[in-house]
Amino acid sequence: MSTVFEPDGGVASAQSATRLRDSFGRAITDLRLSVTDRCNYKCVYCRTGNEGAQYTELPIEDYVRMVRIMVSLGIEKVRLTGGEPLLRSGLVEMVADLARLRTAYRADGSRLEPGEHGEPLDIALTTNGHLLESQAAPLAAAGLSRVTVSMDAVDPETFARITRVPRSYERVLAGVHAAQAAGLGPVKINCVLLRGFNEAQIEPFAEFSRREGVIVRFIEFMPLEEPSAVPDARTWKPETVIRMDEILGRLNAWRPSCSVPAGLVELPPRAASETAKRYTFSDGVGEIGIVAPVSQPFCGHCSRVRITSDGSIRTCLFSQSDHDLYGEMLRGGTDEQLAAYIRRVVMRKEARHHIGEPGFEKPSRNMVHIGG
Ligand code: SAM
């Protein structure tokens, strides 16, 4: 069901005039919301292949209420994720509901006055793309702003070996093309590189970016996989990570064509909270981003908070615990009470993650059950 929302989310009266910040002064403007922890792929570095969903899903209108309250506190970007978000029925209607919300703060951080209109939210989706071909156009029409498609190879055989789903590459490529045709471009492609698995795909992905007009983002592998009983190639180890320096070295040595000299050209960040270092080639064709949470952590300007499919807030991917926002809702919390709860939780956001440090403890949930 669609609802018309007040520009300020309708909960301004009891809110303080200050936007959501954590105890380190970081403004929290980005929300990642998982709408299911089911997934139709079993990517080798993410899932064991034996486990299914582990958490419940909420009615779509409860997610929308959570987002509305978050927006009233200063959230401006919402990324829908999972699990695989396109498995969730009601997603198009949800995007339409989110598209009616308006930001509650000005660019300088001050709160909008009653009657003043905010901006539409930046609504993004992260998907494996398997079901995107048919859903791209309705999602775009509902108000989706952009889409990120996860692809860990551009070689169909390697792709199917990683996803453990036959003919998945062709499906996903059709999804990317449908997203471009629906006006959701430039499409971002997320690729996680693992040593011994898909590092041969670095240059082919650069070619893919140039040929397909997509932004390719290489993401360093983080210790967020489902636990395996036996340590194997898919279990996180420092040596499995293909680090930013190595990717840059390879791409700097690569020559796109006989008329284009080798060498990357750095692009400026789009925003202070940008997680990717951005590059193009000397002819300006193609874009490569590198997200390096392991070798060059960016926690100092983290602007994110997450809500899991069962309605818990996670203040960091590597948090040791969740905060049960849905429980507060079920206990009858008013919008004002929930907003106060969110503010308290955000004050407990961790300073940084501790990947690779002695004593590092794996987080209390794995990526597929958090929402990446
Ligand atoms: N199913 C959707 C998809 O495939 O994009 C959304 C969920 S998936 C968990 C989100 C992203 O997290 C994907 O791009 C995936 O490659 C990435 N990811 C999963 N496990 C990861 C890990 N251990 N380290 C870094 N990225 C990871």
Side-chain angles (χ1 to χ4, degrees), residues 295-325:
S295 66
Q296 299 202 11
F298 36 82
C299 307
H301 51 251
C302 180
S303 56
R304 292 183 191 166
V305 69
R306 291 178 154 80
I307 296 180
T308 59
S309 61
D310 56 333
S312 285
I313 301 175
R314 287 184 71 87
T315 47
C316 173
L317 268 176
F318 293 91
S319 293
Q320 293 300 329
S321 59
D322 304 334
H323 304 273
D324 186 10
L325 178 61

Side-chain angles (χ1 to χ4, degrees), residues 161-173:
R161 198 154 50 89
I162 293 173
T163 61
R164 295 188 269 195
V165 173
R167 289 176 297 286
S168 40
Y169 178 77
E170 293 77 3
R171 289 282 299 253
V172 174
L173 190 60

Side-chain angles (χ1 to χ4, degrees), residues 39 45-46 81-85 126-128 150 152 190 192 219-225 367-368 372:
C39 192
Y45 61 89
C46 185
T81 181
E84 174 45 45
T126 300
T127 171
N128 61 31
S150 303
D152 301 308
N190 273 358
V192 178
I219 301 176
E220 289 178 345
F221 180 39
M222 294 178 278
L224 287 164
E225 74 282 10
M367 184 66 115
V368 65

